[in-house]
């Protein structure tokens, strides 16, 4: 009977460790995510001149030694959505720069490579091949002087691993 208890106890420890390792894999996925706002030259910036076109950018950086597959996380109604801060602690929702999303099953990111999802705020005269994931010639209002924020939350499925919900935000100013 004592041997049966020992075997049962050892099996319990092994099962516990197996589930613990799975969680650790989830915490150590070698992928970096980054939300940015770029100027017309493609340089990340937090301050822009009034009338200057800005480009929203989201990076999924594969830092692993293997090709990864990130399941398509669209639609996300807040992806690149722009809010302007107001003096009364309120905000104005200026919307999103694109009209539609190209739906694919997953994004294949090669070893040490980056998936770049970018789209300009003013996009009437853009080359659609330059921005293959987001599309549409949406006429957005010109952003006036003030302080702005873009933010969203998202979970990601990378291979067989589901991440916890992640929060991204980027604050910027138009002078």
């Amino acid at each position: 009977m004592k041997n049966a208890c020992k075997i049962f106890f050892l099996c319990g420890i092994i099962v516990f460790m197996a589930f613990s390792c799975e969680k650790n894999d989830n915490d150590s996925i070698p992928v970096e995510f980054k939300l940015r706002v770029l100027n017309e030259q493609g340089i990340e910036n937090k301050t822009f001149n009034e009338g200057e076109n800005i480009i929203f950018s989201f990076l999924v950086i594969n830092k692993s030694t293997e090709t990864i597959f990130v399941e398509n996380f669209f639609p996300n109604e807040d992806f690149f959505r722009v809010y302007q801060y107001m003096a009364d602690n309120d905000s104005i929702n200026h919307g999103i720069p694109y009209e539609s999303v190209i739906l694919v099953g997953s994004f294949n990111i090669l070893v040490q490579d980056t998936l770049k999802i970018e789209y300009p705020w003013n996009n009437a005269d853009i080359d659609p091949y330059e921005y293959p994931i987001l599309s549409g010639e949406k006429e957005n209002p010109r952003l006036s002087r003030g302080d702005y924020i873009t933010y969203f939350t998202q979970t990601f499925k990378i291979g067989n691993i589901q991440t916890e919900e992640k929060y991204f935000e980027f604050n910027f100013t138009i002078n």
Side-chain angles (χ1 to χ4, degrees), residues 122-148:
N122 296 314
N123 53 56
D125 298 321
I126 64 167
D127 178 1
Y129 295 107
E130 189 174 354
Y131 305 102
I133 297 171
L134 305 175
S135 65
E137 294 178 7
K138 186 174 181 184
E139 292 194 30
N140 292 308
R142 190 169 152 177
L143 297 177
S144 60
R145 293 180 180 177
D147 295 318
Y148 295 84

Side-chain angles (χ1 to χ4, degrees), residues 7-160:
I7 292 172
F8 181 76
F9 179 72
L10 287 174
C11 287
I13 290 175
I14 291 170
V15 168
F16 176 76
M17 288 174 54
F19 284 112
S20 295
C21 289
E22 188 171 316
K23 181 167 182 6
N24 289 340
D25 286 346
N26 187 11
D27 293 339
S28 64
I29 300 170
V31 175
E32 182 181 333
F33 303 96
K34 188 170 183 184
L35 177 62
R36 313 177 302 165
V37 178
L38 312 174
N39 63 20
E40 293 172 333
Q41 290 75 41
I43 299 169
E44 182 177 335
N45 208 339
K46 290 191 173 269
T47 305
F48 302 90
N49 295 319
E50 188 173 21
E52 180 180 2
N53 198 5
I54 58 176
I55 301 165
F56 296 93
S57 175
F58 184 69
L59 306 177
V60 181
I61 305 163
N62 180 0
K63 294 188 165 202
S64 76
T65 57
E66 298 178 10
T67 296
I68 62 170
F69 298 92
V70 177
E71 189 173 287
N72 191 342
F73 50 90
F74 291 106
N76 181 322
E77 294 181 12
D78 291 323
F79 192 77
F80 295 164
R81 184 171 297 280
V82 175
Y83 296 92
Q84 182 177 11
Y85 292 115
M86 303 308 293
D88 58 0
N89 289 333
D90 203 9
S91 63
I92 296 174
N93 178 355
H94 285 281
I96 56 177
Y98 53 91
E99 290 179 326
S100 61
V101 176
I102 306 300
L103 294 178
V104 296
S106 65
F107 302 104
N108 180 19
I109 308 173
L110 300 175
V111 175
Q112 303 296 313
D113 203 0
T114 300
L115 168 66
K116 227 187 276 189
I117 302 172
E118 295 183 339
Y119 211 71
W121 181 252
N122 296 314
N123 53 56
D125 298 321
I126 64 167
D127 178 1
Y129 295 107
E130 189 174 354
Y131 305 102
I133 297 171
L134 305 175
S135 65
E137 294 178 7
K138 186 174 181 184
E139 292 194 30
N140 292 308
R142 190 169 152 177
L143 297 177
S144 60
R145 293 180 180 177
D147 295 318
Y148 295 84
I149 186 172
T150 181
Y151 63 88
F152 69 99
T153 58
Q154 184 66 53
T155 60
F156 299 91
K157 187 168 183 187
I158 303 167
N160 294 326

